[in-house]
Amino acid sequence: MDKLSYYNIVVPHGAYKLVYNTLTNSLVCLTADEYSILSAYADNLEGFGHDYPSLYDNFKKSGFIVDGDFNELDYIRLQNNKVVYEDQRYHVTINPTLDCNLRCWYCSTEYAKAQHEGCMSPEIVKAVKSHMAYLVEKKRITALHLDWFGGEPLMYFDEIVAPISSVANELVREHGIGFTQHVTTNSVFMTEKMMQRMAELHFTSFQIPLDGNERHHNVIKKNADKGGTFKAIVGNINMLPEIIPDAHIILRINFDKRTLRGIEDIIPLFTENAKRHMTVDFQKVWQIKCNEEDLERLRMVRKAFADNGFCVDFWAFTPRMFHRCYADRLHHYVINYDGRVFKCTAQDYADDKVLGRLGQDGHIEWSDKLRSSLFSHPTFDNERCLACKLLPICMGPCIAKCKEARDTGNPMPCVVENSQSTVDEFVISEACRRKLLNG
């Protein structure tokens, strides 16, 4: 006997009902009459199959209807275990430095008062190169992704980033494994020559922030000696896909109470080619709280960007990913400029967060105590998440936040409640993207 999926949700939109399955990412758009007819069969699936056999089969293939003995939660657990533990692709974040050429007031590194000075020493650079060789030649990993972070990593592109990248490129080419590189950068140090070198080194992904229109951005992100950075950053974003044709650019809009006012000014500044390579990600500065007026403004701004051909990201909702954050995977870690190893860059760099230490031979001496504690529970292993219909597209808070909640006895934080976007907005956006609705 079949049953309705637990993960079906219904989102009203004008004269339509959008029926979305968070487990399979299936979505249908129904008129009110169609939805009324189908609702009448909710407790009579056998009758539904008899009267509408073709539609019934399509609903079952799409996951809106499942076998009566299919445990969807067990399936989610299995997929999560596969992603977290079985995936042999390694994602290594490297901080060449925690210093930066800019001084944004909301910077998490500065706010956490992380102790830092200078950059990765030649000895640590050599150890990182040895670690790349260890992963490829000894661990036999299936793919390698290097993720450059900081601080501002491009402050030391020639001294640190390019040399390590060159060694990694040679290793993966010799052993025939996949390789990609990403950098999170304010892009101020980028030049055409650097971009050409990045293309040779297989950089394909970039996260570059803007803090509003030119006037507002330049108040926050300015060089001490050269003034505002807005025009240079926009120019670099437009140039990147011309030099790196497969580039994907995440345009991160860090917004506070003022950023979203006038942000539409930046829409016409990007070339059509740049827009095709770009995803716009609106992220609230974490020190502020949004009221309903702020959220309404965010909704309007999102729509303005989408209406102008930009892909707009909903970071809280990640269908078919089966994990919350890339750092939740076992084979993700951060090598800091001083050789200490951490789980992610979203926390401070205090000694109690040290996951391991990189040795000169390229091996990491891991802290089994901290690693065991981080991975002791799935991120969704709490009553609230397990009962939530949005679990498959959310997967709970990240492992670091889960551990913090367990250690302190505080309630487990809810990702959706802190996302600044509702699931209704996400589903409606998906329906427009799939051309089930007109924008």
Side-chain angles (χ1 to χ4, degrees):
M1 182 75 69
D2 290 341
K3 63 183 179 182
L4 291 173
S5 168
Y6 180 75
Y7 297 103
N8 294 334
I9 62 173
V10 180
V11 175
H13 182 69
Y16 299 97
K17 301 284 188 182
L18 301 173
V19 183
Y20 179 66
N21 185 273
T22 61
L23 181 55
T24 63
N25 197 33
S26 298
L27 176 62
V28 293
C29 180
L30 305 174
T31 66
D33 288 342
E34 290 170 336
Y35 180 74
S36 178
I37 292 171
L38 289 177
S39 295
Y41 286 101
D43 296 320
N44 182 18
L45 291 182
E46 187 176 353
F48 179 27
H50 179 269
D51 295 343
Y52 300 94
S54 179
L55 185 59
Y56 186 94
D57 287 344
N58 285 333
F59 269 50
K60 187 157 186 183
K61 288 176 183 177
S62 300
F64 295 111
I65 298 170
V66 297
D67 291 344
D69 59 353
F70 179 51
N71 189 313
E72 294 174 287
L73 186 55
D74 282 350
Y75 176 79
I76 293 170
R77 291 184 187 278
L78 173 62
Q79 299 308 312
N80 175 250
N81 282 332
K82 289 167 68 175
V83 170
V84 172
Y85 300 109
E86 190 176 274
D87 192 343
Q88 290 300 308
R89 296 172 297 174
Y90 272 63
H91 182 149
V92 182
T93 297
I94 303 174
N95 293 336
T97 182
L98 294 183
D99 294 336
C100 187
N101 55 311
L102 305 180
R103 291 291 181 269
C104 305
W105 68 268
Y106 53 77
C107 178
S108 59
T109 299
E110 294 300 326
Y111 198 83
K113 295 181 171 55
Q115 297 297 314
H116 57 93
E117 182 178 352
C119 64
M120 191 173 278
S121 68
E123 292 75 23
I124 300 296
V125 170
K126 183 179 179 181
V128 174
K129 291 177 181 178
S130 296
H131 186 63
M132 299 296 103
Y134 168 73
L135 291 179
V136 174
E137 297 173 347
K138 303 297 184 183
K139 292 287 289 185
R140 304 279 186 180
I141 64 176
T142 60
L144 176 63
H145 177 73
L146 295 187
D147 187 342
W148 298 94
F149 200 76
E152 172 47 54
L154 299 187
M155 290 175 69
Y156 298 98
F157 180 78
D158 292 330
E159 300 88 346
I160 299 172
V161 178
I164 293 174
S165 296
S166 296
V167 168
N169 268 276
E170 292 172 8
L171 285 163
V172 299
R173 186 167 54 249
E174 288 175 8
H175 291 80
I177 69 173
F179 181 59
T180 51
Q181 295 204 75
H182 169 88
V183 60
T184 297
T185 172
N186 58 46
S187 91
V188 173
F189 287 101
M190 276 187 174
T191 62
E192 184 174 350
K193 181 180 178 181
M194 183 185 289
M195 293 180 201
Q196 290 168 344
R197 183 69 176 124
M198 285 176 159
E200 296 169 357
L201 294 170
H202 295 97
F203 277 81
T204 57
S205 179
F206 303 80
Q207 178 169 284
I208 301 174
L210 282 177
D211 287 45
N213 60 17
E214 183 171 4
R215 181 184 61 82
H216 188 70
H217 171 94
N218 282 341
V219 170
I220 297 173
K221 282 184 162 61
K222 59 184 178 182
N223 286 304
D225 56 342
K226 299 179 182 177
T229 60
F230 181 85
K231 288 181 180 177
I233 293 172
V234 171
N236 286 335
I237 290 172
N238 284 329
M239 192 189 305
L240 261 173
E242 301 296 331
I243 296 175
I244 306 177
D246 58 347
H248 176 234
I249 303 165
I250 302 168
L251 176 62
R252 177 167 173 142
I253 307 293
N254 297 315
F255 68 90
D256 56 21
K257 292 282 187 179
R258 297 181 298 275
T259 307
L260 298 180
R261 299 173 191 168
I263 188 66
E264 296 93 337
D265 295 348
I266 76 173
I267 289 175
L269 302 181
F270 296 105
T271 65
E272 288 301 314
N273 188 35
K275 285 164 61 174
R276 285 191 290 270
H277 291 260
M278 192 184 304
T279 298
V280 185
D281 182 16
F282 291 90
Q283 292 279 354
K284 179 182 70 67
V285 172
W286 62 277
Q287 291 96 332
I288 70 159
K289 292 183 178 180
C290 288
N291 57 31
E292 187 51 45
E293 181 182 351
D294 299 323
L295 296 178
E296 179 57 30
R297 179 65 185 151
L298 177 60
R299 285 189 281 270
M300 292 171 58
V301 167
R302 281 181 181 276
K303 187 176 187 306
F305 275 80
D307 289 347
N308 281 275
F310 289 85
C311 175
V312 180
D313 186 40
F314 287 81
W315 65 266
F317 306 111
T318 54
R320 305 296 296 170
M321 293 286 287
F322 294 111
H323 64 301
R324 171 67 263 159
C325 174
Y326 56 82
D328 292 342
R329 294 174 54 248
L330 180 64
H331 299 314
H332 171 272
Y333 45 89
V334 181
I335 301 177
N336 200 33
Y337 78 100
D338 55 7
R340 294 183 301 162
V341 179
F342 296 86
K343 194 71 192 86
C344 72
T345 60
Q347 293 185 302
D348 61 54
Y349 295 95
D351 285 341
D352 65 335
K353 305 290 195 313
V354 174
L355 199 65
R357 296 182 185 274
L358 178 65
Q360 283 299 306
D361 61 356
H363 286 74
I364 294 175
E365 183 180 345
W366 295 103
S367 166
D368 290 335
K369 178 181 177 181
L370 181 54
R371 285 180 103 195
S372 300
S373 180
L374 283 168
F375 288 100
S376 63
H377 297 271
T379 56
F380 52 90
D381 191 14
N382 61 83
E383 290 184 7
R384 188 177 190 183
C385 290
L386 292 173
C388 183
K389 289 180 175 291
L390 305 185
L391 172 61
I393 59 173
C394 171
M395 299 303 289
C398 70
I399 59 171
K401 287 186 172 135
C402 287
K403 179 181 183 305
E404 182 181 348
R406 291 195 305 268
D407 290 349
T408 61
N410 291 330
M412 199 66 67
C414 176
V415 172
V416 176
E417 286 182 354
N418 295 296
S419 70
Q420 295 87 55
S421 298
T422 66
V423 69
D424 286 13
E425 292 174 69
F426 166 72
V427 172
I428 292 168
S429 174
E430 278 294 294
C432 293
R433 187 182 67 80
R434 302 183 196 190
K435 303 189 184 309
L436 300 176
L437 291 173
N438 294 322

